[in-house]
Amino acid sequence: MRRADTPDDLTLWYDSPATDWETQALPIGNGALGAMVFGGVGGERIQFNEKSLWTGGPGSDGYDFGDWTSPRPNAIAEVRAEIDRDGKVSPAAVAARLGRPRRGFGAYQTFGDLWLDMPGTPGAATGYRRELSLRDAIARVGYTSDGVTYSREYFASHPGNVVVGRISADEKGKVSFTLRTSSPRSDRRVSVSKGRLTVRGALADNGMRFESQVQVITRGGTRTDGTDRITVAGADSAVFVLSAGTDYADVHPAYRGADPHARVTSAVDRAAGKSYERLRSDHLADHRKLFDRVRLDLGQRAPAVPTDRLRAAYTGGASADDRALEAMFFAYGRYLLIASSREGSLPANLQGVWNDSTNPPWSADYHVNINLQMNYWLAEQTNLAETTEPYDRYIRSMVAPGAKTAREMFGARGWVVHNETNPFGFTGVHDWATAFWFPDAAAWLTQRMYEHYRFSGDTEYLRETAYPVMKGAAEFWLDTLHTDPRDGTLVVSPSYSPEQGDFTAGASMSQQIVFDLLTNVLEAAKELETDEAFQAEVTAALARLDPGIRIGSWGQLQEWKEDLDDRGNTHRHVSHLFALHPGRRITAGTPESEAARVSLTARGDGGTGWSKAWKINFWARLLDGDHAHRMLGEQLRGSTLDNLWDTHPPFQIDGNFGATSGMAEMLLQSRHDTVHVLPALPSAWPTGSVTGLRAWGDVTVDVSWRDGEADRITLRAGRTGLLRVRADMIGGGYHVLDDRGGTLDPGRDGDVLVIDAQAGRSYTVVKEITRDRPLDEAPLR
């Protein structure tokens, strides 16, 4: 069944069908559409989603965007005053004053299931294999029964906006099945005509209209339409194409657009008019254009055991199988982001695009106290900048409702959003005491937008997309920062360190996030040479802003402005290290970084999946590759399911994305205007290579290493200017070559080279030739 060109080292494979959606089924997706493949022998289940199918929002009873429904004069001021007087207020007391029951928030919905019922009970199947090729983005199922070898392929095409499946056999006339659909909701109508099954309906909760269509195309045999199903008998092969959509639109306040019928019909018609080979080749070209940009070689080999057994046997030791699982996990994060975040769709949610429930965990929503942000940590550095378009569009769509919340709740300019949100502009609050208040979120959300500029150097993007959103988030804080009577500094009040402790003034995470925003927006305004009065306002605020970085009594980085940290606290949130990662204010080798190390050590290596992923990034920023690798091992052993999905528990996709980010941070860092190569290489990866990673300043980096040290670094410059490169090898003998074969003699400061780079040119730093390692034996793998 497996094609000869399928690369096994990046293929998840299993020797039995999936029986559980969360832990075993295999995901495919094109951003808007997602599907889970089970691979049964007697029948196939393909559960599918379209990312905008949500209950809640306009049309849902009582929906009000989370805003207060009646004025609460002085409510926030009174909480601030109590904090000023007593130093803290309990979460329950703050929620009683500032929170409110959540109404009409809604939840992400499964679209339904597509079933292929095979007639009769097949004989004993042999040679069974179920797989997901990450390079192809194709799920496959194959087995032999009664002397006939059956094959299935499934993929989700972004160019066609369809899910495609092909069922075939190595003997003519052996393909027979009945295709039908099901849904846990009773809000749909099913019709069949000319080999096309159509499902239409409207959600009872909010009236959202939805539609899916499946066209079946056969080669040989017969195709028979029923009232709610299609039967294929005696075919040589059969193909189906599925598309789905809703009338959702990301426009405040109605969030409704055109009926999906014309759009879905057009997508299915176009796909049905093409051959399977053409659909497949278009899909492969589209996927590989993104996926193939980065390749990681850790010395792995193609695993000889199924992926579930590979994971179960993982120790984090020196075996090639352990390296294979780690390399696959890195690639899987990139695969999942491509599959769940493409132009024209909503961004990846807590479960990416996949959900089999009408009431998923945490509504499969957008938690913005870290989770949505973490979903995109890997995007720029692993060369998937295109996947961030849905994120940017979504954040921009929150500005209008967020401005209303800022004005009515805080009396402030700009915009705000709290702890979690939905596709319908929920920017207000609810009343879960330890997870309802996080006005810091908007500031944090803009960080990724600014980093897109820092990676790309795209000034037009900065001016038109990022800066207006950043400025609005900054204006909110310029209006709401509070003067701390203890020392006269500006603090966030009330502030809350997720998801523990009391409400206080100036919790470290809040201060660090606001500092990050104000620093970024000031840099952006200066780069754009705009808003001089605003620049002055930001500069004045930064001069008075509490830094949010203090070293406490036992050498720790304090989580709160007062020294309240408990050595025995092992809470999964390590929020007060934001300035280390994803911020850039704390750098390795400083007293503050050592305090961060003390805090991180005290918290321990436990936690849920996303927490362990964050810790990989923390340890990488501390340049401790062995501890970062230890955290990767903790995640793979204790927080990863058999299909390699991250589990909180339950399944929550941010851990996958965060882990890939952390592995990239181990190999390349650049947030201080120096391209730092192999900054946190663990001893478990003594030899390897990576190609295609991205650095600030529009630089693409390839590196190979041996015996724990780089032996060849190639930097492709996207812009003209000085390019600073740091690597251990630069402290010894090396050559610097340009892409025309010339030898350069750049300036050097210790282990940092300064290259006068030209846009479009490549520069290669090669370790000094030795007798036991000639230059021509040191290629990038």
Side-chain angles (χ1 to χ4, degrees):
M1 180 271 303
R2 185 181 65 81
R3 291 171 54 91
D5 60 354
T6 300
D8 271 359
D9 63 324
L10 292 184
T11 296
L12 286 68
W13 70 277
Y14 306 83
D15 58 9
S16 61
T19 58
D20 182 73
W21 180 90
E22 180 184 18
T23 64
Q24 298 175 345
L26 295 175
I28 57 175
N30 71 0
L33 295 171
M36 296 291 285
V37 177
F38 283 70
V41 174
E44 177 68 274
R45 176 189 175 194
I46 303 168
Q47 183 276 323
F48 69 99
N49 296 95
E50 201 283 338
K51 203 189 291 170
S52 64
L53 187 66
W54 265 73
T55 56
S60 182
D61 186 38
Y63 184 66
D64 50 24
F65 302 91
D67 293 333
W68 292 340
T69 54
S70 59
R72 302 188 190 184
N74 302 317
I76 296 175
E78 289 170 0
V79 173
R80 283 180 182 149
E82 188 170 339
I83 290 172
D84 286 347
R85 185 186 70 236
D86 300 333
K88 60 184 179 180
V89 179
S90 73
V94 177
R97 296 185 195 182
L98 304 183
R100 55 181 307 281
R102 192 160 64 181
R103 299 188 182 95
F105 183 83
Y108 184 39
Q109 299 291 291
T110 177
F111 222 100
D113 291 272
L114 187 68
W115 301 87
L116 305 177
D117 301 322
M118 312 298 179
T121 303
T126 59
Y128 181 92
R129 179 171 169 126
R130 175 173 58 96
E131 71 175 34
L132 174 64
S133 167
L134 303 184
R135 282 202 179 100
D136 293 349
I138 294 178
R140 302 182 178 95
V141 180
Y143 57 89
T144 299
S145 178
D146 296 331
V148 180
T149 298
Y150 296 90
S151 301
R152 305 178 208 149
E153 284 193 337
Y154 308 101
F155 58 87
S157 165
H158 178 66
N161 195 32
V162 286
V163 173
V164 182
R166 183 176 186 268
I167 304 94
S168 62
D170 66 351
E171 291 185 19
K172 291 186 176 182
K174 292 297 184 177
V175 173
S176 299
F177 61 87
T178 295
L179 180 148
R180 60 184 174 87
T181 65
S182 66
S183 168
R185 298 182 312 274
S186 58
D187 52 11
R188 64 192 200 121
R189 302 182 306 279
V190 182
S191 61
V192 179
S193 177
K194 299 179 181 180
R196 184 170 303 193
L197 186 152
T198 299
V199 177
R200 280 181 60 82
L203 295 178
D205 172 75
N206 60 10
M208 178 181 283
R209 290 175 289 181
F210 61 85
E211 180 165 338
S212 65
Q213 297 181 24
V214 189
Q215 180 70 49
V216 178
I217 305 128
T218 60
R219 178 173 294 179
T222 62
R223 184 188 70 197
T224 305
D225 293 346
T227 57
D228 63 350
R229 60 197 63 203
I230 299 168
T231 298
V232 173
D236 301 336
S237 64
V239 172
F240 68 80
V241 291
L242 175 152
S243 194
T246 75
D247 65 351
Y248 170 81
D250 61 353
V251 181
H252 177 265
Y255 294 95
R256 289 294 188 275
D259 187 286
H261 175 73
R263 205 169 352 116
V264 174
T265 301
S266 177
V268 174
D269 285 349
R270 286 195 307 270
K274 297 179 180 179
S275 68
Y276 177 76
E277 290 73 21
R278 174 64 184 277
L279 291 169
R280 189 180 187 277
S281 64
D282 288 350
H283 159 73
L284 287 174
D286 172 75
H287 175 72
R288 287 175 174 169
K289 180 181 178 182
L290 297 174
F291 187 82
D292 286 352
R293 290 173 182 169
V294 173
R295 295 177 183 267
L296 176 63
D297 177 5
L298 298 177
Q300 69 269 18
R301 65 187 180 200
V305 297
T307 303
D308 52 343
R309 298 211 293 270
L310 183 72
R311 190 201 65 80
Y314 176 84
T315 66
S319 73
D321 275 358
D322 281 359
R323 297 295 82 76
L325 183 63
E326 292 165 358
M328 188 182 298
F329 200 55
F330 174 85
Y332 196 42
R334 297 184 71 248
Y335 166 85
L336 291 171
L337 187 59
I338 296 169
S340 62
S341 186
R342 298 297 298 275
E343 182 180 358
S345 66
L346 285 161
N349 61 38
L350 278 177
Q351 295 181 182
V353 66
W354 301 280
N355 167 44
D356 70 335
S357 172
T358 58
N359 185 30
W362 302 284
S363 303
D365 68 9
Y366 296 99
H367 270 51
V368 287
N369 67 338
I370 186 172
N371 310 94
L372 176 57
Q373 294 91 328
M374 182 182 282
N375 282 0
Y376 289 88
W377 283 351
L378 76 161
E380 302 289 344
Q381 62 196 124
T382 70
N383 217 333
L384 295 176
E386 294 91 335
T387 64
T388 66
E389 188 273 346
Y391 179 101
D392 289 351
R393 181 169 175 166
Y394 181 65
I395 303 311
R396 294 172 76 183
S397 77
M398 273 197 281
V399 171
K404 183 174 182 289
T405 301
R407 184 173 61 252
E408 295 184 358
M409 186 177 291
F410 295 87
R413 294 173 295 168
W415 68 283
V416 68
V417 61
H418 282 81
N419 198 71
E420 56 228 45
T421 185
N422 61 15
F424 309 114
F426 189 98
T427 51
V429 293
H430 54 89
D431 59 357
W432 188 273
T434 57
F436 86 103
W437 189 263
F438 196 70
D440 324 42
W444 190 351
L445 288 167
T446 67
Q447 183 193 61
R448 198 224 62 76
M449 302 175 79
Y450 184 60
E451 289 207 341
H452 179 79
Y453 162 70
R454 294 304 301 264
F455 274 96
S456 68
D458 187 342
T459 305
E460 181 179 357
Y461 168 87
L462 181 64
R463 178 181 294 107
E464 300 298 327
T465 300
Y467 180 71
V469 179
M470 296 167 64
K471 182 180 177 183
E475 286 175 329
F476 171 82
W477 286 111
L478 292 173
D479 286 359
T480 57
L481 286 169
H482 175 63
T483 299
D484 191 335
R486 291 171 291 185
D487 58 11
T489 60
L490 292 177
V491 293
V492 177
S493 182
S495 69
Y496 188 68
S497 194
E499 294 172 358
Q500 58 176 325
D502 290 318
F503 277 75
T504 63
S508 297
M509 185 190 206
S510 298
Q511 299 303 126
Q512 293 169 17
I513 288 175
V514 174
F515 177 89
D516 186 80
L517 168 65
L518 296 184
T519 302
N520 291 346
V521 78
L522 184 59
E523 288 180 4
K526 290 179 178 179
E527 174 66 27
L528 297 173
E529 298 180 343
T530 189
D531 288 335
E532 290 186 5
F534 174 70
Q535 288 188 43
E537 195 176 1
V538 173
T539 300
L542 279 168
R544 294 184 57 205
L545 187 69
D546 183 284
I549 299 176
R550 287 180 173 80
I551 298 175
S553 59
W554 44 280
Q556 88 284 12
L557 198 71
Q558 290 180 197
E559 185 160 1
W560 296 274
K561 188 165 183 173
E562 297 294 331
D563 192 347
L564 305 173
D565 300 82
D566 177 0
R567 286 176 184 265
N569 181 6
T570 58
H571 197 278
R572 64 189 178 279
H573 279 268
V574 198
S575 308
H576 55 301
L577 303 193
F578 174 93
L580 175 66
H581 182 278
R584 54 188 166 117
R585 195 174 181 194
I586 295 178
T587 58
T590 62
E592 293 79 12
S593 73
E594 290 308 304
R597 183 187 297 271
V598 170
S599 288
L600 199 54
T601 302
R603 286 291 166 91
D605 294 340
T608 56
W610 67 263
S611 175
K612 292 174 183 175
W614 199 3
K615 291 174 182 177
I616 301 172
N617 289 270
F618 283 142
W619 286 111
R621 287 282 178 91
L622 290 171
L623 310 186
D624 190 334
D626 285 339
H627 207 137
H629 184 263
R630 184 192 311 169
M631 289 310 312
L632 174 63
E634 289 291 327
Q635 184 162 23
L636 286 168
R637 283 190 295 269
S639 298
T640 301
L641 303 171
D642 282 347
N643 60 5
L644 301 192
W645 265 351
D646 170 74
T647 181
H648 182 276
F651 161 52
Q652 192 170 299
I653 204 167
D654 44 17
N656 288 104
F657 296 141
T660 296
S661 165
M663 294 176 75
E665 290 277 346
M666 294 159 74
L667 299 170
L668 188 74
Q669 296 179 26
S670 62
R671 283 169 175 80
H672 298 282
D673 298 316
T674 297
V675 180
H676 191 175
V677 178
L678 304 184
L681 186 71
S683 56
W685 301 347
T687 301
S689 68
V690 65
T691 63
L693 293 181
R694 293 278 290 165
W696 277 23
D698 195 9
V699 183
T700 305
V701 181
D702 303 340
V703 56
S704 68
W705 65 91
R706 185 179 185 182
D707 299 327
E709 184 177 281
D711 55 18
R712 181 185 291 254
I713 303 165
T714 298
L715 306 110
R716 297 188 293 279
R719 290 192 291 169
T720 296
L722 294 180
L723 176 55
R724 296 173 56 85
V725 187
R726 179 182 178 189
D728 288 345
M729 66 178 282
I730 293 170
Y734 61 88
H735 297 298
V736 181
L737 309 173
D738 65 20
D739 51 4
R740 298 172 184 173
T743 300
L744 306 181
D745 186 20
R748 190 180 95 176
D749 180 9
D751 60 357
V752 176
L753 283 181
V754 183
I755 300 172
D756 188 6
Q758 301 297 310
R761 302 288 302 279
S762 296
Y763 305 89
T764 299
V765 186
V766 184
K767 190 173 181 179
E768 190 70 60
I769 300 172
T770 62
R771 286 180 298 173
D772 61 338
R773 186 79 188 277
L775 175 61
D776 61 2
E777 291 183 9
L780 279 172
R781 281 167 293 279

